[in-house]
Amino acid sequence: MALSNVESESLETTPGYRFKIQSSSSNIKVVLAALLGLSLPFNASAQSVTNATLDRIKASTSAVDSNFIKANATISKDWPTIGLDYAETRFSKLDQINTDNVKNLGLVWSYNLESSRGIEATPVVVDGIMYQSASWSVVHAIDARTGKKLWSFDPGVDRSKGYRGCCDVVNRGVAIYKGKVFVGAYDGRLIALDAATGAKVWEKDTLIDHEHSYTITGAPRAFNGKVVIGQSGAEYGARGYVTAYDTETGNQLWRWFTVPGDPSKPFEDASMEAAAKTWDPAGKYWLNGGGGTPWDTITFDPDLNMVYVGTGNGGPWNRKIRSPSGGDNLYLASLVALNADTGQYIWHYQETPGDNWDYTSTQPMILADIVIDGVLRKVILHAPKNGFFFVVDRTNGKFISAKNFVDVNWATGYDANGRPIELPAARGDDPYDSIPGPDGAHNWHPMSFNPQTGLVYIPAQHLPLSLTPEKSFTQNAATPGKLGSILGGNVGVVFNSTPPKSSAFGRLLAWDPVHQREVWRVEHVSPWNGGTLTTAGNLVFQGTADGRFVAYDAATGTKLWETPTGTGVVAAAATYMIDNTQYVSIAVGWGGVFGIAHRVTEYQNPGTVYTFALGGKAKLPEFVKYQTEGLLQGVKYDPKDVKEGGDIYVAACAGCHGVPGVDRGGNIRNLGYVRAEEIANLKDNVFHGPFRDKGMPDFTGKLTEADVVKIQAFIQGTADTVRPKRN
């Protein structure tokens, strides 16, 4: 902890903590205070943090509980939880910034998150103190008045294990509850921090086993003395579940599994026994987990005392492998209501029965009260990956309506009972263009609901893929030509090299959930745009893949203001009031499953928090151009190795590095645009290589030197193939 700019030295305590102490006679007092857990800020910047500041933070954050969050939802002064409120409306009642004056919005401060991977979290703000998570689950506490660091906490995730997740080393946010900040670490730990100092209060390993590649990327949800978290990993043999822990002690209070386990063993509860009847045991689904991981949305209705969980895709994706005779495979791709006190199953609605396409229902849901056919209904509004917008009664799980908000080719609609009317070809054995593709018509990027306009603002998209179902499958088999299989991927489909016929798009949709229709849209230059924020000032804010932060008229979609961000934006913004001034903050940092290997901007600035207010005059940070070495050339190779090298490359490298010389690279560089020496000496990078601390796997034992030679041939051979020919 650097209390001033005097000479300092580092002191290591428990893993994840590094702080600096003054080289002065007060050292002993500082060290003793830290070791005794007193209120001193870990990882503090050189700025002095006064006792008065610590006391204010402690008092403010200690007041945050379920009643505080409910009361704040009526005025929106703070942004105390993910989504602003328990309903995750992301609708702020603040209107100081509005359609008339948003053109005067200016930067107040920016903050460097010191990260080069995806930033997906919305900042949480209470009484002028901001808590922002970054890649690798690092948490930053920031003075929202000045943009100065108060403390930061790095949980010490093993960077060489980044490959254990499918979709970048991201984190979607923290929870605050009674003076603690809760963060789910990428490696499966749930950690409680002192909100004033950043000191670790407790830590729990949430994983049921360490054999499979479970990770945590979602934000915890805290209420009524409980903090609830789910995991991800359905592609890697995980079995989904959500767990509630005591906010004070970290003791486990309840756990609910999303799919059944080994049917030869006792079922955990009646809901698992019922679910098992919808799976074919001939597929031995439990050996590969079954999937259903609830890796993102968790909402809470305090009046109904229900927790709502969105569940994930099947593992593997291909139902014919995990459940050969068919079946709905409960509770995959479902909305599920649990008793908030006990975790007991109450009801479910399955949006994609027998999921076959990676159509998760983990996308953020919104709880709203809307008038349908003259009756006020308590509903869930949901736009999952499968391309349909759902309205479901949240008191009992009954289907109300569904309408596709993008083109789809797997179903024509939903019947009166809420079951999809499937097209037979969607489950065929032949190659097919998946529409939507596995990245979804709407992914984790948050949507928002404005009760004044009655519209939901959806970051919609299409990323086309041509797929072929596998006819045979071996769990965890490292198979050349199967995407990511050398690192443990188990999807049961082949990603075809044949280009899909449909075109990619990204758009912002304003959707009327009552009449199930599009009201307006904004077309973007690329898929994978940021989440949305809407306000009583009749505004919608969204960041874009091409590096802009934009404000639109919520009623018409007219663009009213924009600013460059120096990198693509995937997260959603927050707004809050400090000293009678409304601020808007957005954390930017390109990444996620699409952003790893693809990009639209020419800039690659580090993860950054930008904060704006009317009349702001601060300067944007300098933007850094994306560095490329030109198309790779000069690496010697044998042309006969190119084809086999391509199959190995797909199984080991393509998920992060894309296609050499064809893709442009995302937050990880494309290997068609690196120095020739890096490819010529590739084995030095893949075996015990120097990039493990940045997330690159160690392929020792996974690849041979002969494999590497063939990968080199594919990389250089592909670059030579796409190189423009001179006449």
Side-chain angles (χ1 to χ4, degrees), residues 177-490:
Y177 197 86
K178 290 190 175 180
K180 297 180 183 65
V181 176
F182 300 93
V183 62
Y186 185 76
D187 56 14
R189 292 172 289 152
L190 181 64
I191 302 171
L193 306 174
D194 184 296
T197 68
K200 188 191 300 182
V201 179
W202 55 255
E203 172 184 296
K204 294 294 177 180
D205 181 358
T206 72
L207 304 187
I208 57 175
D209 74 69
H210 289 269
E211 178 183 352
H212 297 96
S213 292
Y214 287 93
T215 54
I216 295 178
T217 57
R221 177 68 70 184
F223 58 87
N224 295 355
K226 302 173 185 67
V227 56
V228 181
I229 192 66
Q231 287 76 19
S232 50
E235 284 75 23
Y236 298 93
R239 180 191 181 196
Y241 57 95
V242 288
T243 313
Y245 297 89
D246 186 285
T247 56
E248 289 300 313
T249 65
N251 293 334
Q252 182 176 319
L253 298 176
W254 53 255
R255 172 170 287 161
W256 184 76
F257 286 93
T258 65
V259 297
D262 186 343
S264 69
K265 300 177 181 179
F267 295 109
E268 287 83 2
D269 57 29
S271 69
M272 290 299 99
E273 184 176 8
K277 297 175 183 177
T278 68
W279 293 72
D280 179 5
K284 296 184 178 181
Y285 56 84
W286 58 92
L287 296 179
N288 202 49
T293 48
W295 50 263
D296 194 19
T297 187
I298 301 171
T299 53
F300 170 57
D301 187 327
D303 296 326
L304 297 176
N305 198 38
M306 291 185 191
V307 176
Y308 303 102
V309 178
T311 67
N313 55 280
W317 298 352
N318 189 340
R319 186 181 64 170
K320 290 183 180 179
I321 292 172
R322 68 174 187 267
S323 189
S325 66
D328 285 353
N329 294 177
L330 294 172
Y331 298 94
L332 296 178
S334 297
L335 302 176
V336 182
L338 305 175
N339 181 292
D341 295 330
T342 66
Q344 184 177 3
Y345 164 90
I346 299 175
W347 60 254
H348 79 276
Y349 171 67
Q350 191 170 39
E351 295 175 325
T352 311
D355 170 49
N356 196 57
W357 310 275
D358 187 23
Y359 285 164
T360 63
S361 290
T362 52
Q363 286 57 56
M365 67 180 86
I366 293 172
L367 312 185
D369 296 348
I370 61 177
V371 176
I372 301 174
D373 296 330
V375 178
L376 184 66
R377 303 285 299 271
K378 293 181 177 294
V379 301
I380 292 175
L381 307 176
H382 201 221
K385 276 189 183 181
N386 74 13
F388 286 86
F389 189 97
F390 292 87
V391 181
V392 176
D393 189 313
R394 73 175 184 269
T395 68
N396 55 25
K398 299 299 183 183
F399 171 83
I400 297 175
S401 65
K403 177 71 174 178
N404 58 301
F405 58 94
V406 297
D407 289 339
V408 302
N409 71 350
W410 70 277
T412 60
Y414 279 69
D415 65 21
N417 296 316
R419 289 194 66 88
I421 305 166
E422 290 188 12
L423 293 166
R427 292 191 188 271
D429 295 325
D430 297 327
Y432 69 98
D433 283 5
S434 179
I435 303 175
D439 288 312
H442 171 225
N443 208 294
W444 62 266
H445 314 80
M447 62 186 189
S448 57
F449 172 62
N450 189 322
Q452 295 177 347
T453 63
L455 301 178
V456 178
Y457 304 99
I458 310 169
Q461 63 181 22
H462 175 48
L463 290 103
L465 275 176
S466 178
L467 306 172
T468 300
E470 287 189 301
K471 292 180 174 57
S472 61
F473 174 83
T474 302
Q475 181 189 6
N476 294 332
T479 306
K482 288 177 57 178
L483 185 69
S485 63
I486 285 176
L487 297 174
N490 294 278

Side-chain angles (χ1 to χ4, degrees), residues 30 64 67 132 137 155 177 179 210 264 305 329 347 380 414 471 477 522 541 566 569 595 658 668 671:
V30 174
V64 178
N67 289 331
Q132 174 71 49
S137 318
Y177 197 86
H210 289 269
S264 69
N305 198 38
N329 294 177
W347 60 254
I380 292 175
Y414 279 69
K471 292 180 174 57
V522 173
F541 290 91
V569 187
I668 297 177
L671 297 181

